[in-house]
C-alpha cells in the first residue's frame, strides 16, 4: 500500500484544493481502512462548496455517498474483512442520547455527518468505525454502489410519510431524490404518483420510472391539474424535493394537499416562508421532517443487490477522481448532463 494519497479539501466556500497527504492509520482496533472506489455528488455538496449548507464547517473534505474496499481492519473487527466491498454510513452517533435510544440516530444530539460536519470520502483512503460500514456484494457495479445512500433517503422519507398503496402522492422536483422517492412510492404499491418539475426531460424520465401523471409548472396550472387528476380532493402526501424558497408553501396550499394530508419537506432552505398555524391546524396537516436516513442502509443494499432499483439515468455523469476539478467546474457551470455526478476512483 502506498504511503500518501490525494484528497480534496474545501478550505472555504468557492475554493477547493487537491492535496497529497499521508494515508491515515487506524486509530483503534475497532476501525477499518477503506480504499475509495466511488462517491456520489449530492446537492448538499454543491451547497457546501458554495457556502450555502447551514450544517457545514470549514475546512472540509466533502463526500457522504461513499463506496469502497476494505484495505485494513483492526484486531476487534468481525463484520468485514480485507477485500470486502462496503458502503460507508454518513453519520457517526453517540448511541446514548434520547434520539439514539428511540431509534432516531439520524438526528442524534451529537450527530456528526461525513462530508459536512466531519471529513468525508473525496479522498483515496479514509478510516471509519467498523460498525459504520456495510458489506455489499461485489456483483454491484461501483457506479450503482455510490447510489445506495440516496436510495436509503428514499426509503427513509417514505417511511416517515407512512406511505401506503391507497395514497395519492405529489412530488415537487424530479431530480435525483425526487426520482428515487417516485421509484420507492411505486415499489410500495402507490397507484397514483404525480410528479411536477419545470424541465420536460426530467418529467419524461419520471414517466419511465413509473410516474402516473406529470406536470410542467412552467407551462401548466399545477392547482388545476391536481384538481383534475384527484377529482378535487387533492393529494394525501406531498414531498418537496425541489426545495426552493416558497416551495413548501406551494405544496401545502389547499387544492394540492388534502385535509389530514402529510407534508414532507426534504431540503435545508433557510428562507422564511408564509406558513401559519392556521394553515396547518384548519386542515390538521402533518408536517413531517426527514433528514438523511435511519437504519435503511442494509435493506437498501439488499434491494440493490437484487437489482430491484431502476438506476438507469439516475447518475448522469461519471468523473474520474484524477479529473476532480470537473466536478467543481460543473458545480459552477451546471448543465443537464451534470444533474447527478458520480466520482470513480482510479484503479
Amino acid at each position: 500500500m502506498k504511503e500518501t494519497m490525494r484528497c480534496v479539501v474545501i478550505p472555504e466556500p468557492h475554493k477547493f484544493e487537491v492535496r497529497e497527504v499521508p494515508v491515515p492509520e487506524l486509530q483503534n482496533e475497532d476501525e477499518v481502512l477503506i480504499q475509495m472506489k466511488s462517491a456520489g455528488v449530492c446537492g448538499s455538496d454543491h451547497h457546501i462548496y458554495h457556502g450555502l449548507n447551514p450544517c457545514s464547517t470549514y475546512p472540509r473534505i466533502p463526500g457522504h455517498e461513499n463506496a469502497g474496499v476494505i484495505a485494513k481492519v483492526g484486531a476487534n473487527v468481525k463484520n468485514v474483512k480485507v477485500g470486502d466491498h462496503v458502503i460507508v454510513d454518513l453519520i457517526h452517533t453517540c448511541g446514548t442520547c434520547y434520539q439514539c435510544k428511540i431509534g432516531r440516530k439520524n438526528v442524534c444530539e451529537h450527530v456528526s455527518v461525513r462530508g459536512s460536519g466531519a471529513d468525508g470520502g473525496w479522498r483515496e483512503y479514509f478510516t471509519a468505525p467498523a460498525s459504520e460500514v456495510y458489506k455489499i456484494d461485489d456483483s454491484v457495479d461501483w457506479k450503482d454502489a455510490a447510489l445506495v445512500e440516496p436510495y436509503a433517503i428514499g426509503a427513509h422519507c417514505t417511511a416517515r410519510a407512512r406511505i401506503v398503496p391507497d395514497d395519492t402522492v405529489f412530488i415537487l422536483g424530479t431530480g435525483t431524490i425526487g426520482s428515487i422517492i417516485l421509484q420507492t412510492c411505486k415499489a410500495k404499491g402507490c397507484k397514483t404518483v404525480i410528479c411536477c418539475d419545470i424541465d420536460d426531460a426530467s418529467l419524461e424520465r419520471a414517466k419511465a420510472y413509473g410516474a402516473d401523471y406529470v406536470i410542467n409548472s412552467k407551462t401548466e396550472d399545477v392547482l388545476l391539474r391536481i384538481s383534475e387528476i384527484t377529482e378535487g380532493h387533492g393529494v394525501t402526501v406531498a414531498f418537496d424535493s425541489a426545495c426552493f424558497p416558497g416551495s413548501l408553501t406551494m405544496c401545502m396550499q389547499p387544492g394540492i394537499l388534502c385535509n389530514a394530508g402529510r407534508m414532507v419537506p426534504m431540503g435545508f432552505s433557510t428562507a422564511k416562508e408564509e406558513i401559519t398555524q392556521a394553515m396547518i391546524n384548519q386542515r390538521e396537516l402533518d408536517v413531517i421532517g426527514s433528514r438523511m436516513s435511519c437504519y435503511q442502509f442494509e435493506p437498501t443494499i439488499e434491494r440493490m443487490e437484487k437489482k430491484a432499483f431502476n438506476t438507469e439515468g439516475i447518475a448522469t455523469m461519471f468523473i474520474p477522481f484524477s479529473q476532480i476539478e470537473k466536478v467543481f467546474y460543473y458545480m459552477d457551470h451546471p448543465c443537464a448532463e451534470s444533474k447527478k455526478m458520480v466520482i470513480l476512483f482510479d484503479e
Side-chain angles (χ1 to χ4, degrees):
M1 183 186 303
K2 57 185 183 178
E3 295 182 354
T4 63
M5 66 174 189
R6 291 167 297 163
C7 75
V8 176
V9 178
I10 299 176
E12 60 185 83
H14 311 292
K15 293 184 179 180
F16 78 94
E17 299 172 0
V18 180
R19 299 176 181 173
E20 191 78 17
V21 299
V23 172
E25 297 290 337
L26 301 182
Q27 297 301 302
N28 58 64
E29 297 300 337
D30 298 307
E31 283 193 339
V32 296
L33 179 68
I34 302 130
Q35 180 184 9
M36 284 293 294
K37 291 296 183 180
S38 62
V41 180
C42 176
S44 63
D45 296 314
H46 291 239
H47 295 152
I48 290 167
Y49 176 55
H50 290 123
L52 301 174
N53 188 322
C55 303
S56 189
T57 56
Y58 302 89
R60 183 60 56 223
I61 299 173
H64 62 269
E65 301 175 5
N66 300 314
V69 173
I70 298 294
K72 185 185 293 186
V73 300
N76 298 334
V77 174
K78 306 297 182 187
N79 61 317
V80 292
K81 64 183 185 302
V82 171
D84 281 346
H85 291 201
V86 295
I87 306 299
V88 187
D89 205 331
L90 71 163
I91 59 174
H92 178 74
T93 60
C94 72
T96 59
C97 68
Y98 165 77
Q99 292 79 11
C100 285
K101 288 180 177 178
I102 65 165
R104 301 282 293 278
K105 67 175 184 175
N106 57 316
V107 285
C108 165
E109 190 172 316
H110 308 287
V111 69
S112 178
V113 182
R114 289 187 174 90
S116 177
D119 285 336
W122 290 11
R123 44 183 163 165
E124 292 179 294
Y125 293 87
F126 72 105
T127 60
S131 59
E132 296 170 10
V133 302
Y134 311 98
K135 286 177 63 174
I136 187 168
D137 194 84
D138 58 13
S139 63
V140 179
D141 192 280
W142 291 119
K143 293 179 179 180
D144 288 338
L147 301 176
V148 165
E149 193 275 337
Y151 272 98
I153 289 176
H156 179 71
C157 71
T158 53
R160 292 279 293 150
R162 308 189 299 278
I163 289 292
V164 294
D166 285 340
D167 278 320
T168 300
V169 177
F170 176 68
I171 302 171
L172 180 64
T174 55
T176 302
I177 295 299
S179 297
I180 287 171
I181 293 170
L182 160 62
Q183 288 191 32
T184 308
C185 286
K186 296 305 289 185
K188 292 186 175 185
C190 287
K191 296 181 178 63
T192 306
V193 179
I194 306 163
C195 289
C196 181
D197 205 292
I198 60 173
D199 182 71
D200 283 331
S202 289
L203 292 171
E204 284 300 314
R205 183 175 71 167
K207 288 181 185 178
Y209 293 148
D212 299 285
Y213 301 92
V214 297
I215 303 170
N216 187 320
S217 56
K218 256 189 177 180
T219 59
E220 299 176 86
D221 185 319
V222 178
L223 273 171
L224 179 61
R225 287 284 289 121
I226 288 180
S227 179
E228 292 171 349
I229 294 165
T230 66
E231 298 181 342
H233 297 296
V235 303
T236 60
V237 183
F239 292 94
D240 176 13
S241 56
C243 311
F244 55 82
S247 59
L248 178 57
T249 308
M250 172 189 167
C251 290
M252 288 177 62
Q253 63 186 307
I256 291 184
L257 193 60
C258 72
N259 292 3
R262 285 154 276 154
M263 178 70 236
V264 186
M266 298 298 297
F268 283 90
S269 173
T270 56
K272 293 180 180 180
E273 298 209 27
E274 298 297 324
I275 294 171
T276 65
Q277 291 187 24
M279 288 173 64
I280 298 169
N281 292 335
Q282 283 179 345
R283 294 184 288 144
E284 202 170 56
L285 303 179
D286 290 354
V287 181
I288 304 169
S290 183
R291 185 182 184 194
M292 301 179 293
S293 64
C294 191
Y295 298 109
Q296 294 291 352
F297 272 86
E298 289 172 301
T300 301
I301 287 169
E302 184 177 349
R303 294 197 69 209
M304 188 69 79
E305 290 171 337
K306 293 178 178 177
K307 303 190 184 304
F309 301 119
N310 182 0
T311 60
E312 183 67 30
I314 292 292
T316 52
M317 182 178 287
F318 300 94
I319 296 176
F321 186 61
S322 59
Q323 300 173 29
I324 191 70
E325 68 279 356
K326 290 184 178 179
V327 170
F328 295 97
Y329 173 83
Y330 286 115
M331 286 185 182
D332 284 330
H333 305 88
C335 64
E337 291 76 17
S338 66
K339 281 184 178 180
K340 177 62 177 180
M341 296 180 278
V342 168
I343 300 163
L344 297 176
F345 286 74
D346 308 311
E347 294 297 331

